[in-house]
Amino acid sequence: MRGQLFYLNKSDRRILLALLAVIGVALVVIFIAGGDDRTDASPLALSAPIADSLAVADHEPYYAQPTVEAERFPFDPNTADSTQLLRLGLQSWQVRNVYKYRAAGGIYRRKEDFARLYGLTAGQYRELEPYITIGADYRPAADLFASRPTTAAPADSTPTHRYPVKLEAGQTIDLATADTTQLQSVPGIGPYFARRIVEYGRRLGGYVSVDQLTEIDDFPQESLSYLTLGSTPEVSRLNINMLSVDQLKRHPYINFYMARAIVNYRRLHGTISDLDDLHLLPEFPPEVIERLRPYVTY
């Protein structure tokens, strides 16, 4: 009786075998089709156009951004529009930061406030500083009282300017006698470079050539044409027969090894009568001797 439960006649067995065969063929087809799909979807199997584009990308930049030469002109960071800011050499995202700062109620009250712009380097700020002009309405209110005279000025008195008026083409000032205020009248020179010029001149003992300004880091070359020197500039000289190593090396043109060589030469050979006495020392090639000559005495 139990065997009769699973008994199939001949026709039923044929139908069952045919059904199993169909199912088997369907599974094989699905497997093959699925394998092809996986092969095509593999990240390693790239079509020829994509592979060619990636090969080109390995050797060429994705986007070549055109370079724009920065311009220099007076501007107020509180009112300058995006076109002006871009012409100054700022990046587009920096311009957006300026607009966001102003939209949030921020005000550039002094030149130094603009130095806090994100991404602005010290060199860029030094170049822009002489051209930053803060409008009177944006300066601190305390400046109104600080600049108010204690007595009434004469009716015919000449008005004073808070910021130095820049020199025009062909005008010059004497580098040997100019102070920081006068130096700021030179195009391209603001308070930072004015202080650097005066300080470097003090360390040298005085300038003997306008070209010595190029020894100051990042000095604007276009400013040189506005500066001159008197016919006989006065300089302070170092007595190289009397000074110690520490005293000698304070001069910008004398380093520690040069100062030590001078002191050792004095100890071995006596008094130095001319810088040419040092020409055999490796620390004193001819160009160094000539540069140092105006600043030494015996």
Side-chain angles (χ1 to χ4, degrees):
M1 182 68 179
R2 181 178 299 177
Q4 292 180 353
L5 292 176
F6 300 96
Y7 174 78
L8 296 175
N9 57 34
K10 187 175 182 179
S11 61
D12 292 337
R13 289 198 299 270
R14 288 177 180 177
I15 295 173
L16 180 60
L17 290 175
L19 182 60
L20 292 175
V22 171
I23 293 175
V25 172
L27 291 175
V28 171
V29 171
I30 294 173
F31 177 78
I32 294 175
D36 292 340
D37 292 342
R38 287 191 297 271
T39 302
D40 293 339
S42 173
L44 299 179
L46 301 176
S47 63
I50 297 176
D52 292 341
S53 64
L54 290 179
V56 172
D58 288 339
H59 302 284
E60 298 181 0
Y62 288 105
Y63 174 69
Q65 184 175 2
T67 57
V68 179
E69 185 176 355
E71 302 178 36
R72 293 292 176 260
F73 52 85
F75 72 99
D76 187 339
N78 292 295
T79 58
D81 58 26
S82 59
T83 302
Q84 293 174 313
L85 295 173
L86 290 172
R87 285 171 55 199
L88 291 167
L90 297 182
Q91 299 298 318
S92 57
W93 55 270
Q94 291 178 308
V95 175
R96 287 195 295 271
N97 286 340
V98 172
Y99 270 74
K100 289 179 182 178
Y101 178 74
R102 297 192 314 208
I107 297 176
Y108 299 98
R109 301 184 185 278
R110 295 183 174 85
K111 291 185 177 185
E112 294 79 3
D113 294 341
F114 193 69
R116 294 198 296 267
L117 177 63
Y118 181 76
L120 192 69
T121 66
Q124 290 173 320
Y125 175 73
R126 288 197 293 266
E127 291 183 11
L128 293 172
E129 182 189 25
Y131 302 96
I132 301 174
T133 59
I134 306 299
D137 292 338
Y138 296 101
R139 292 201 294 268
D143 291 352
L144 296 174
F145 303 96
S147 60
R148 183 174 297 173
T150 55
T151 58
D156 58 348
S157 61
T158 302
T160 58
H161 299 274
R162 180 173 177 82
Y163 298 101
V165 178
K166 295 295 184 181
L167 299 177
E168 298 180 358
Q171 295 180 319
T172 60
I173 61 173
D174 190 348
L175 177 60
T177 59
D179 57 20
T180 55
T181 301
Q182 292 171 316
L183 289 170
Q184 290 180 61
S185 67
V186 175
I189 296 179
Y192 172 81
F193 277 117
R195 292 191 299 268
R196 292 290 303 275
I197 291 171
V198 172
E199 173 62 19
Y200 192 60
R202 184 189 64 78
R203 292 180 58 207
L204 284 170
Y207 290 100
V208 296
S209 171
V210 172
D211 291 335
Q212 288 176 289
L213 294 175
T214 60
E215 298 166 8
I216 299 175
D217 292 339
D218 301 324
F219 187 83
Q221 299 288 329
E222 64 275 11
S223 301
L224 295 177
S225 60
Y226 296 92
L227 297 163
T228 59
L229 274 174
S231 56
T232 55
E234 297 182 2
V235 298
S236 300
R237 297 176 180 268
L238 306 173
N239 191 326
I240 59 174
N241 287 310
M242 302 293 295
L243 300 179
S244 65
V245 171
D246 289 338
Q247 292 171 321
L248 288 169
K249 71 177 184 180
R250 294 174 186 170
H251 196 276
Y253 291 168
I254 301 177
N255 58 35
F256 168 78
Y257 300 101
M258 296 167 63
R260 186 176 62 180
I262 291 173
V263 172
N264 287 340
Y265 185 92
R266 292 188 335 224
R267 179 172 55 84
L268 296 174
H269 304 283
T271 301
I272 300 173
S273 59
D274 193 281
L275 274 180
D276 291 332
D277 295 345
L278 306 175
H279 75 283
L280 294 179
L281 300 178
E283 293 85 359
F284 291 91
E287 62 273 13
V288 171
I289 289 177
E290 292 307 314
R291 186 173 69 164
L292 188 58
R293 194 182 297 279
Y295 295 104
V296 300
T297 185
Y298 317 97

